Amino acid sequence: PDLNPEVGLRRTMGTEALYAGLSFDLPLFDRQSRQVDAARAELRAAELEGQDLVRQLEAQRSAAQASLAALTEAGVHFTVPDWADDLNQAVRAAEARWELGVGTLFELLDGRRARIDAISARERWAAQWLIAQARLLRLSGAPASADFFCEPFARFDS
């Protein structure tokens, strides 16, 4: 129990006296102990909830790191320095076959469509990569640096 020191002046039956003492609450008829227990239980629940949120954040952060690593690994063929030149070379070959009369119109159109599909796949990958990097930055609580705003190919094309 909480001990409270007391000092005061007491007047009883016409006599005044100075008194000093300690007081404490008896647990009989005491509602405050239930209130204290309830407050302690609420505090413990809040602490457990906070620990749960920290664990969730850590799990989300590790998942975001794994996602970014997987996307970086999956897009490694997009970051090859001569990727665009190789793609254009394949289309030029189909156009040359068409001009020489050896290739068909279907081969020419198929080569051009393959180039468009490859460029679209590269842009989809770049968008997913940027989203994964932004998610990791947000979950880490780190501010976005200049590297974040750079296009992902800019660092690989140079």
Side-chain angles (χ1 to χ4, degrees):
D2 294 333
L3 296 176
N4 299 319
E6 291 184 354
V7 176
L9 183 63
R10 176 175 274 173
R11 184 173 190 183
T12 310
M13 298 173 49
T15 317
E16 293 181 2
L18 185 64
Y19 78 96
L22 294 173
S23 70
F24 59 92
D25 294 329
L26 292 175
L28 307 172
F29 312 109
D30 184 23
R31 285 194 226 162
Q32 288 188 356
S33 66
R34 284 180 276 178
Q35 291 174 349
V36 169
D37 290 342
R40 286 182 182 147
E42 285 180 18
L43 178 64
R44 182 68 182 144
E47 288 173 351
L48 290 175
E49 186 177 337
Q51 291 172 356
D52 188 42
L53 288 174
V54 167
R55 280 193 298 272
Q56 287 178 1
L57 181 63
E58 285 297 322
Q60 288 177 359
R61 187 179 310 139
S62 65
Q65 287 173 340
S67 174
L68 183 62
L71 278 169
T72 302
E73 185 179 328
V76 74
H77 62 281
F78 289 132
T79 59
V80 174
D82 296 331
W83 180 83
D85 293 336
D86 293 343
L87 195 59
N88 289 332
Q89 184 66 27
V91 172
R92 275 189 241 124
E95 288 173 351
R97 289 177 52 83
W98 169 256
E99 289 175 4
L100 292 174
V102 178
T104 63
L105 181 60
F106 179 75
E107 288 175 350
L108 176 66
L109 295 177
D110 192 41
R112 289 181 179 173
R113 184 180 52 227
R115 177 177 60 186
I116 291 171
D117 290 345
I119 291 170
S120 297
R122 184 180 188 188
E123 292 304 315
R124 281 192 303 275
W125 172 80
Q128 290 173 350
W129 189 82
L130 284 172
I131 290 168
Q133 188 177 21
R135 182 172 179 239
L136 181 60
L137 284 174
R138 180 179 57 88
L139 290 171
S140 298
S145 64
D147 291 341
F148 171 72
F149 294 105
C150 292
E151 191 172 317
F153 305 117
R155 66 183 72 187
F156 299 113
D157 288 340
S158 55

